[in-house]
Every structure is written in C-alpha cells, then in structure tokens.
C-alpha cells in the first residue's frame, strides 16, 4: 500500500514542486509578501504536531509507556526541534519565533500574525475565529483545512496531513533563491536563510522514513484507512498548491501596486 500511496501522490507533488511561485520570488520585497502569508502555515504546523503528541505519546499522569515507541520518538524529536531549537545566536527559540524574527530582519510585517494569534481562544475550537479573521481567503481556507483535520478527522488522517502535506515538502528551492538574493547584496536575508537551513538540519534524513512508518503502523492492514490516507493526502497537497497560488497572486498584485 505504501508504494501505491506514493504513486497516487506523485502527480500532486510534481505539480506543487513545479509551481510558478519558485520563479516569481526575485527580490526582498517579494520575499516580504511571501513570508507575511506563509507565516500562518509555519504557525499552524505546530498544532498538527501537538495533536499527534497528545495522541501518540504519554503526556498525562501517571506516566505509562507509549504504545508505539518509534512513533513517539518521531513526534517528540519534531516537537523538540520545532518548539525549542536555537537561533543563529544560540538562543532557545521555536521555529515559529525564529521565522518571525527573520521576517523582522527583512522588514516584513509581523503585526498581523501576532494580532491574529491574540484573538484565538485558549481552548476549544478555533474554526470560528479563523472564519471571522481579517485574512485573505486563501490563508483562511488553508487554516480551516488544518484545524478541521485536527478537530474532526481520525488519527491516521491527521498523521497523513502532517506527513505528506507538511514534513514531506522540501525547502531546498527556497535555499537556492535566498542564496542568489544574498549574492546580490541582500544581507538582511541571513536570518531567513538560517531558518531554512536549520529546518533541513533538524529534520535530517530520518523523519521522512519514520513518518511513513507511523502511517503504516496507524493503518496496519486496514484497506479503508489506507484509502482515507490517500484521499486526505491529495487534499493536503492540493491545499498547499492553492496556498502557493494565493501567495503568488499576492506578490504579483504587490508589484503592480508599487508601479501604480
């Protein structure tokens, strides 16, 4: 089933990795627009991770061994790396905060994301808050899919969105673009490049195979679960494509506004 799963997702991944956004980001102003939209995906990723941590590790008392030790290790490693990494100065910081700091170095606006977070409830559903937020529809739709998955889908489906819609996507293309921008003299990009490189370094080569093992473990030999994983993984990749398209259009609109 894993081979079929990867085959079914192949065209979706190809479409995403060949999105025109990669050829659209040309300078620091484009990157500002990109980060101001993409930061919401950096943020909501942690809720996916935390949901998996709640369900697949032991976070209650009295402690008992997790039923799936390999999966618990994967999730705990990712939480450790994403929630308490070190920045370029050696300070402990989450990847979300690292990203926001990189945005500030670029001169990008971080007030909107902080304002959005301040409106969210501390408990219960956040779907209503997302619907009411003053955000572009393509960002709202992306967040609504994430949190609908967290709140209403089965564990194997949540794991699939995490694995194929998020962790399985590689930021190498962005690394190359940032390198090219820095060669043009944009030293403000150093913190953003560090974020990307650190993200790859922390993920390493183990998380991908371990995440696939998690999917296999959760689905076991149940065909219906595998079909549900395939369906929601396609949806997750399509939603990422729509997010990229929305950001791409936002960058183009921003350029036109400057010219006007």
């Amino acid at each position: 089933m894993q081979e079929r799963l990867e085959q079914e997702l192949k065209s979706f991944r190809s479409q995403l990795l060949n999105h025109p956004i990669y050829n659209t980001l040309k300078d620091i102003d484009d990157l500002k627009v990109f980060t101001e939209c993409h930061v919401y995906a950096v943020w909501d990723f942690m809720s996916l991770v935390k949901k998996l941590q709640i369900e697949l590790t032991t976070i209650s008392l009295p402690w008992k061994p997790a039923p799936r030790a390999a999966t618990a290790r994967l999730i705990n490693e990712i939480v450790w790396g994403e929630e308490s990494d070190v920045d370029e100065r050696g300070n402990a910081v989450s990847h979300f905060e690292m990203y926001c700091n990189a945005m500030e170095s670029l001169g990008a606006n971080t007030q909107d994301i902080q304002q959005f977070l301040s409106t969210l409830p501390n408990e219960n559903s956040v779907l209503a808050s997302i619907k009411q937020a003053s955000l572009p529809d393509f960002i709202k739709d992306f967040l609504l899919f994430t949190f609908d998955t967290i709140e209403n889908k089965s564990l194997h489906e949540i794991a699939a969105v995490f694995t194929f819609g998020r962790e399985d996507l590689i930021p190498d293309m962005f690394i190359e673009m940032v390198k090219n921008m820095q060669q043009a003299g944009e030293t403000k990009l150093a913190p953003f490049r560090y974020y990307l490189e650190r993200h790859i370094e922390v993920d390493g080569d183990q998380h991908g195979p371990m995440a696939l093992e998690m999917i296999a473990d959760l689905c076991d030999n149940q065909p219906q679960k595998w079909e549900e994983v395939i369906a929601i993984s396609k949806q997750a990749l399509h939603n990422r494509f729509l997010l990229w398209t929305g950001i791409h259009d936002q960058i183009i609109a921003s350029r036109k506004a400057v010219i006007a």
Side-chain angles (χ1 to χ4, degrees):
M1 286 300 292
Q2 285 191 38
E3 290 184 5
R4 184 188 155 214
L5 170 62
E6 293 183 16
Q7 190 62 35
E8 290 269 2
L9 300 184
K10 188 174 181 180
S11 63
F12 286 83
R13 283 182 52 79
S14 177
Q15 182 186 41
L16 185 58
L17 295 173
N18 288 286
H19 195 284
I21 194 171
Y22 299 112
N23 294 319
T24 301
L25 287 163
K26 300 295 184 183
D27 56 34
I28 196 169
D29 289 329
D30 294 341
L31 196 56
K32 286 180 185 178
V33 177
F34 174 84
T35 57
E36 288 167 1
C37 299
H38 178 243
V39 66
Y40 293 90
V42 177
W43 165 72
D44 79 339
F45 169 75
M46 278 307 301
S47 289
L48 275 172
V49 176
K50 284 296 185 178
K51 176 64 173 179
L52 290 173
Q53 186 183 35
I54 290 168
E55 298 294 338
L56 294 171
T57 72
T58 302
I59 59 170
S60 59
L61 296 175
W63 178 87
K64 296 179 182 180
R68 300 177 176 89
T71 297
R73 176 176 178 177
L74 167 67
I75 299 303
N76 284 330
E77 280 188 2
I78 292 173
V79 170
W80 172 78
E82 294 285 341
E83 196 171 41
S84 55
D85 201 6
V86 291
D87 64 15
E88 64 271 30
R89 296 180 296 275
N91 299 315
V93 66
S94 68
H95 276 196
F96 170 74
E97 292 165 303
M98 192 186 298
Y99 194 93
C100 289
N101 291 339
M103 287 177 65
E104 291 176 355
S105 179
L106 293 171
N109 171 27
T110 60
Q111 293 182 353
D112 288 348
I113 178 66
Q114 299 298 342
Q115 174 62 28
F116 168 73
L117 295 184
S118 72
T119 66
L120 297 178
N122 292 328
E123 298 179 1
N124 302 321
S125 174
V126 302
L127 293 173
S129 297
I130 294 170
K131 291 176 183 178
Q132 296 169 6
S134 299
L135 295 172
D137 287 342
F138 67 90
I139 295 177
K140 280 188 181 182
D141 290 343
F142 187 84
L143 296 177
L144 287 171
F145 171 76
T146 298
F147 283 94
D148 178 67
T149 298
I150 291 169
E151 295 182 20
N152 299 313
K153 298 298 182 182
S154 300
L155 186 55
H156 59 281
E157 292 173 294
I158 298 168
V161 171
F162 163 81
T163 300
F164 298 106
R166 313 304 282 266
E167 277 297 284
D168 199 40
L169 301 175
I170 305 170
D172 287 353
M173 294 181 182
F174 290 110
I175 289 275
E176 290 304 313
M177 286 184 290
V178 170
K179 285 180 180 177
N180 292 336
M181 290 181 193
Q182 283 190 300
Q183 288 171 1
E186 296 289 2
T187 57
K188 295 179 181 179
L189 286 159
F192 187 68
R193 178 177 171 180
Y194 177 87
Y195 165 84
L196 293 173
E197 292 176 338
R198 188 63 181 163
H199 193 73
I200 293 173
E201 180 182 350
V202 170
D203 284 350
D205 297 326
Q206 295 184 351
H207 288 178
M210 289 173 71
L212 289 173
E213 289 178 13
M214 171 176 64
I215 298 293
D217 188 30
L218 292 173
C219 290
D220 198 16
N221 294 316
Q222 302 180 53
Q224 181 60 36
K225 286 188 175 181
W226 281 105
E227 293 300 329
E228 290 167 351
V229 162
I230 290 171
I232 202 165
S233 297
K234 288 180 177 179
Q235 192 175 352
L237 288 169
H238 181 62
N239 277 1
R240 176 59 71 114
F241 183 87
L242 295 178
L243 178 67
W244 267 195
T245 300
I247 298 175
H248 171 271
D249 294 346
Q250 199 94 331
I251 291 170
I252 300 302
S254 179
R255 288 178 186 169
K256 291 179 179 179
V258 171
I259 294 174

